Amino acid sequence: MSDDTFGSIAHRASLRSGDRVRVVASIVAALLFLFPVFWMVLTSFKLQKDIFTSPPTFIFTPTLENYVSYLQRSTIPHQMLNTVVVAFASGIISIVAGTMAGYALARLRIRGAGFLGVLILMSRGVPPIALAVPMFLVGRAFGLIDSHIILILAYCTFLIPYVMWLMRGFFKALPKELEESAMLDGCNRFGAFFKIIVPISVPGLLSTLIFCVILAWEELLFAIVLTNRVASTVPVAIVNIAGDTVNGANWGALTAVGTMTVIPVVVFALLVQKWLIQGLADGATKG
Amino acid sequence: MMRNYRNFGSISRRAVMVGGAAAVATRAFGAQGSSALGTPESPVQLRVISDAAYGIAWQASMVPEFNKLYPNIKVTIDPVPYAELLAKIMLDATASQPTYDVIIVDDPWTPQVARTGALLDIRKETAAWTDPGYDWDDFNAAPLEATQWNGVQYGVPLRSNMLLMFVNKTLYKKAGLPEPTPDLTWDQYLEQAPKLVQDTNGDGTIDAWAIDTYFKRDALTPTIWQAILNANGGSLLDKNNKPAFNNEIGVKALKTHIALLKYAPPGGVSHGYSEALQSFRQGQVATSFMWGSVYRNSAVDPKTTTLKPEEVGLQVMPVGSAMAGAHRGIASGTIHAKSPNKQAAWGLLQWFSSKQGEKWHSNALGGFPARKSTLASTPESEWLSPVFKALQQGYDTIEKGKMWRLRHPKSDAVQQVLADAVAAAISGQATAEAALQEAAVKVEKILR
Amino acid sequence: MSSLKAAPVRTWHSRTERLTDFVSRWAFMSPAGLILLAMLAYPILYTFEISFSELDLSTFTATEWVGWDNYAEVLHDTRFWASLKVTGVYLLLSLPLQIVLGFGIAYLVNVEWAGRGVIRALFLIPMVVAPVVAGGVWRMMLDPLYGITNYVLGFVGLGPYDWLGDPWLAMLTVVIIDTWRWTPFVVLIGTAAIMALPRDIFEAAELDGANWWAKLWSITIPLLLPMIAATFIVRWLGAVKMFDIALAATNGGPGASTQVINLFIYEEAFRSLKFAESAAMAVIVLVGTMVLTAIFLRGSRMLEEMH
């Protein structure tokens, strides 16, 4: 990965007028996309009676009540922890398995591998609802209902194809000489993969991991079907608030939960942002 | 023996402190010995599956109250979103070793769950553990029937509910109209409705409307139509379980439901439970056809509503050509037939549905009682008195007009078909006649 | 002679080697293969099985083979066809919109200045907001009575619009929310892709005196085509399964005008408990998705080869 791959057409010391237009336009686009997020955060500081005023209010007495009452729900910290465990565990397992498969598809010419790859990709076409019930039956047969492991494995089924396809493209972009020289130096195939290929792919791996974590983080259907209490996650808590058949949806509480579930992922993403773009560029271009 | 005796003594002392329910607890205890009801060394673990909406509140306040009487029964209530609750119940209840001892079922679900053989004949099988003062006959027929199927009683009503008419008296006064009474007819209601669409602060823009209720595509939207249908003497099915709604009465009821939209706030066609509740609480609508259980949060609790109890009237829905209208929605407690903790489970359900339990529930959480004696009693909170009156009225109406959703192993599939039909007609994508015709064909096919 | 003698030895030797080689190649495929096989084989077989059977709800097992009955039932249900049509309209509107918007914004964002990193990171947020919350916030903003959207549009003399009540506007609303949620994904891949373009081609073009439009039209876009196709396939596989946003924002209404196929399958299974019929629909959708994906993959390979 040489430096000039990253050279962009706009790599200039000062902005030209065309670039200035683009900067302004990109800021406008970002503001438009962030407005609903802003509205969510704003609502989370409102009392119920201020949320549904006509016309909408910008000036109101902010309250932390929504956050406080949310955190006081006894199940929430536990569900938060479960979400972190399940999202990262399924992300990491999917990265390991998906990356190896992606490498096999990109580099190791196996008879029928291309077909297998397409088949795995297409397994994402099965409507998730159809899978939830039989997966519950499998989990029940093995006594795994309401355990982290069943949820992690279920998430792996839709993350692995995604990782595999992305990493396949990423590996295809690497020069072949890399592992050839490593194998000449006495490494076997695994040595070459783990010592040479994986280290230079860390940015791509981390970026893929972020997307996996985001997808697993907000997954709802399998979380509802496969868990009851012990392994229950935050998205379940969110629908419990939204579908309140006693009080009606409490939008103050909902937006507070929404805001709080966004924060950890955004912080995590910011930390690895640099690698993210890089990894996506290489992984996705050849997909 | 000694240990049991000691245990027994400490319980009853505590029970005396708690109050009236002591008799139930001690008698059940004394009769059976304590092991089935747990000991301090090995408490019974009771698992309950429930709608999150009340399951969370029950865990927080009902379970501690119950544990004052039965300290050795540890109750864990798993809250599930309503939309997924039936499917979750079906999946768990059909296991060889089900997780849940107690299943809280919604009004139309008993036949669906009972058909799998998962539910205990609660009246027969628990007779030995039932306190003589429990009094099954004290229950109003309507709520108790929610868990009857093929002649078997599968559950007890824990949280009774029904569609009623909420009235914002202030808006009626502003429009110069008399406060509605239970004798209000649909014709009168629709005649008054235009006047209830008004500009209350005189700034030239309309800021109050006559009605908000279920209009959007939702499984509960047909219940409004069903309440009108029943009030006009119609019914969903005939005696041979064939659709009976695809006729003049059905069409007229649906057209009444559609007509309401004219007097609803802008965007009403996409309003359902939460939205209708919101506009009523904000004082934007004069009436709402809504589940009675929201009364406390709509009229009493200043955190959630702008209205006060004296402003909010509660009564049966308007009178049709046959009678007034309402619609039943009872959450009942059932016990799994394979539960190893049946006695403890019945301990929980028996206490919660007993006269004492109902009183505690309505006073502490505003939960609606099903017993005639509770409804005839004077509640602790003043606001509950008119509510109790409306509820008794509602039960009588419901029983008379059989105002409930289909009771059949396929009732939810039928409800979904009706939801599609009603939504299509309300949104103007089909005429009332065409929508009901199509629904009738589908319902007949489902029930075949 | 010697070569003849050596030949069997070499064959034997290479056979072991080939075996080791074969095993080591498959060792890379096996973790993914095993997890997917273990977790998906039974569920997919089960789905096929019950789609041809009657399901006993007291055991959740197939009882009686009914052939194509469930399929016939589904194919005769007007709601099924209506939801397929709704899904088609949704896909036709939202996929091109997201791809064009995503790459367009990616192009705009890709100017090197101090705030670029922050903008890129902020673009992640819409993807992370839980669908239920996102649907609710949009409902609040679009409400004809107290929503901010009509309030703002009122200042420029537009509206009021009933965003969730009018069938076409409701479809538009679902498309807008979905676009808001998933364009950021395209933006991120798009920025990365544009950054990865070789700089020398652009420099050569500049020496030839090409303006930015000519560079965009005759260099950037053609070079990006394979990448656009790849993003499209990833988005397509995600979008075809969408039902969370429709559920949260409109619940399929008004009428059935936003009832996408996966919402219908979900309702038939989880609300109506018609698991066999919903399995039949799932199989039909799976086959349809596979056929279309194959066509798209072929198309994207053609684009790659053009490049």
Side-chain angles (χ1 to χ4, degrees), chain A residues 47-50 52-54 65 73 75 132-133 136-137 140 145-146 220-221 223-230 236 239-240 242-249 251, chain B residues 47 51-54 56 59 76-82 84 88 90-92 94-96 99-100 159 161 273-274 277-278 281-282 284 293-294 297 303-304 306:
Chain A
L47 282 173
Q48 190 88 344
K49 67 177 169 66
D50 292 320
F52 301 97
T53 53
S54 178
E65 198 190 291
R73 289 179 86 145
T75 58
V133 168
F136 174 91
L137 299 176
R140 191 169 77 181
I145 292 306
D146 205 16
L220 175 64
L221 186 70
I224 286 183
V225 174
L226 299 177
T227 72
N228 302 327
R229 160 168 296 266
V230 180
V236 180
V239 273
N240 278 343
D244 190 330
T245 51
V246 175
N247 302 319
W251 287 109
Chain B
R47 297 285 300 262
D51 183 350
Y54 36 86
I56 293 171
Q59 181 79 66
T76 314
I77 303 176
D78 285 358
V80 177
Y82 178 76
E84 280 82 18
K88 278 250 356 163
M90 296 299 286
L91 283 172
D92 186 79
T94 53
S96 54
T99 312
Y100 297 107
R159 190 174 174 281
N161 211 349
Y273 179 75
S274 283
L277 203 48
Q278 209 47 254
R281 287 171 179 171
Q282 294 285 321
Q284 288 162 339
S293 61
V294 302
N297 293 298
K303 262 188 187 167
T304 49
T306 63

Side-chain angles (χ1 to χ4, degrees), chain B residues 166 291-301 308-310 312-314 368 383-384 386-387:
Chain B
F166 281 70
W291 299 97
S293 61
V294 302
Y295 188 87
R296 191 165 113 130
N297 293 298
S298 303
V300 187
D301 188 352
K308 292 185 183 56
E310 59 271 18
V312 181
L314 187 65
F368 286 173
W383 63 265
L384 267 174
V387 174

Side-chain angles (χ1 to χ4, degrees), chain B residues 387-398:
Chain B
V387 174
F388 276 11
K389 210 178 119 203
L391 286 178
Q392 189 57 58
Q393 245 175 37
Y395 284 139
D396 297 340
T397 311
I398 284 170

Side-chain angles (χ1 to χ4, degrees), chain C residues 108-295:
Chain C
L108 295 177
V109 168
N110 206 48
V111 181
E112 198 153 292
W113 65 291
R116 182 169 70 166
V118 178
I119 296 242
R120 256 195 233 131
L122 289 177
F123 257 107
L124 267 177
I125 299 179
M127 251 189 294
V128 191
V129 178
V132 178
V133 178
V137 170
W138 276 95
R139 273 191 77 106
M140 273 190 257
M141 294 188 349
L142 295 172
D143 191 282
L145 196 54
Y146 52 78
I148 179 99
T149 316
N150 278 354
Y151 184 66
V152 171
L153 288 177
F155 286 128
V156 289
L158 291 171
Y161 297 109
D162 190 356
W163 291 98
L164 300 155
D166 178 85
W168 273 104
L169 279 177
M171 170 55 85
L172 194 64
T173 300
V174 171
V175 170
I176 289 173
I177 302 175
D178 193 66
T179 302
W180 168 76
R181 237 169 102 67
W182 289 110
T183 300
F185 172 75
V186 183
V187 171
L188 283 163
I189 296 181
T191 16
I194 294 171
M195 278 171 72
L197 295 176
R199 202 201 313 181
D200 43 357
I201 300 182
F202 291 94
E203 278 168 356
E206 252 165 72
L207 286 179
D208 289 347
N211 61 12
W212 71 269
W213 175 252
K215 281 189 290 179
L216 179 70
W217 194 244
S218 54
I219 304 174
T220 312
I221 291 180
L223 284 180
L224 279 176
L225 271 179
M227 174 57 213
I228 292 172
T231 318
F232 177 83
I233 283 173
V234 172
R235 253 328 277 143
W236 144 257
L237 281 172
V240 79
K241 286 192 288 200
M242 188 279 286
F243 80 103
D244 44 9
I245 284 296
L247 187 64
T250 60
N251 197 26
S257 50
T258 56
Q259 196 188 30
V260 288
I261 182 68
N262 265 279
L263 181 59
F264 186 49
I265 298 179
Y266 164 80
E267 284 181 342
E268 286 294 277
F270 274 53
R271 306 271 167 88
S272 302
L273 304 181
K274 290 162 84 175
F275 290 99
E277 287 90 341
S278 84
M281 282 193 276
V283 170
I284 296 173
V285 169
L286 173 62
V287 171
T289 312
M290 285 176 86
V291 169
L292 284 168
T293 309
I295 292 171

Side-chain angles (χ1 to χ4, degrees), chain A residues 160-272:
Chain A
I160 287 175
Y162 182 80
V163 175
M164 185 195 74
W165 206 247
L166 215 61
M167 294 313 290
R168 169 188 168 270
F170 184 75
F171 293 133
K172 277 206 157 173
L174 295 178
K176 279 203 170 106
E177 297 76 31
L178 277 172
E179 44 303 33
E180 274 167 16
S181 61
M183 284 172 86
L184 282 178
D185 288 347
C187 280
N188 61 13
R189 190 160 270 132
F190 287 99
F193 176 69
F194 285 109
K195 289 201 189 115
I196 309 291
I197 305 294
V198 169
I200 60 164
S201 310
V202 162
L205 288 171
L206 282 173
S207 67
T208 315
L209 180 65
I210 287 183
F211 280 106
C212 290
V213 168
I214 288 179
L215 287 181
W217 191 266
E218 61 179 30
E219 204 286 330
L220 175 64
L221 186 70
F222 287 85
I224 286 183
V225 174
L226 299 177
T227 72
N228 302 327
R229 160 168 296 266
V230 180
S232 168
T233 57
V234 170
V236 180
I238 291 179
V239 273
N240 278 343
I241 300 172
D244 190 330
T245 51
V246 175
N247 302 319
N250 180 350
W251 287 109
L254 265 173
T255 47
V257 191
T259 307
M260 284 178 45
T261 44
V262 165
I263 292 168
V265 181
V266 171
V267 169
F268 174 64
L270 267 173
L271 288 175
V272 286

